Amino acid sequence: MQTMGEQTFQWTDPEQVLADTAALSGLEYMQGLTEGTIPPPPIAVLMQFGPVSAEKGKVAFSCLPSHASYNPIGMVHGGLVCTLLDTVTGCAAHTTLPAGVGYTSVEIKVNYLRPVLADTGELIGTGWVVKGGRSVIFAEGNVKTAAGDLVATASSTLLVRPRPGSA
């Protein structure tokens, strides 16, 4: 008989967090997330992403992959790495936006360079803005192991739009 794993998680109501942070710029929001004064969004809790740093046009998040993210062929599903890349490219774009303005991913292109296993250890995703804008932002990102081995790269196009709940 196989031993089964279990994972549970709790999150803060994201709509309340949006309401509480409506007056913050994207950079202020990301810095608050990094400092722990703003609770993480549910997806970050579920996928075990943690903010590492945030500055204008650049962010980094960590992730500790586990067996909970395995696919049928015995490795961490590429979707985990893709989601980390979507997170860091989107959050890098967010750091350039004023209060009341948000974004949504239009396209992301990911190149996977090596497999990720539960024993790979911590991953660090870094995203940066290549070209900012009032309607479209272009960003890139990468994911590396703690040892510095490149796992994946991405380029992303993000549509700038009013933030949900803003007037």
Side-chain angles (χ1 to χ4, degrees):
M1 180 176 207
Q2 292 182 323
T3 303
M4 301 294 286
E6 184 176 325
Q7 179 179 340
T8 59
F9 67 102
Q10 295 180 327
W11 65 90
T12 302
D13 178 0
E15 292 175 359
Q16 185 62 53
V17 174
L18 279 174
D20 292 347
T21 61
L24 299 180
S25 70
L27 180 58
E28 291 168 330
Y29 181 94
M30 285 296 129
Q31 289 174 332
L33 190 65
T34 301
E35 294 163 358
T37 58
I38 296 174
I43 187 74
V45 180
L46 174 66
M47 301 195 90
Q48 301 182 42
F49 294 170
V52 173
S53 63
E55 60 189 72
K56 188 170 184 177
K58 186 176 181 181
V59 301
F61 279 74
S62 66
C63 174
L64 188 60
S66 71
H67 287 106
S69 299
Y70 265 43
N71 62 23
I73 59 174
M75 63 184 72
V76 171
H77 192 284
L80 178 85
V81 173
C82 182
T83 304
L84 181 56
L85 285 162
D86 188 49
T87 297
V88 297
T89 56
C91 289
H94 195 176
T95 65
T96 67
L97 300 175
V101 179
Y103 64 92
T104 189
S105 299
V106 173
E107 177 183 54
I108 186 165
K109 159 97 171 62
V110 176
N111 293 306
Y112 299 96
L113 306 172
R114 67 182 64 229
V116 175
L117 304 172
D119 65 358
T120 297
E122 182 181 50
L123 300 176
I124 302 294
T126 304
W128 58 92
V129 171
V130 174
K131 183 180 183 311
R134 292 184 302 189
S135 58
V136 176
I137 297 173
F138 299 93
E140 293 181 351
N142 66 40
V143 173
K144 294 181 179 181
T145 65
D149 296 322
L150 190 59
V151 171
T153 63
S155 60
S156 180
T157 306
L158 302 116
L159 179 65
V160 178
R161 55 183 302 279
R163 185 172 161 182
S166 63

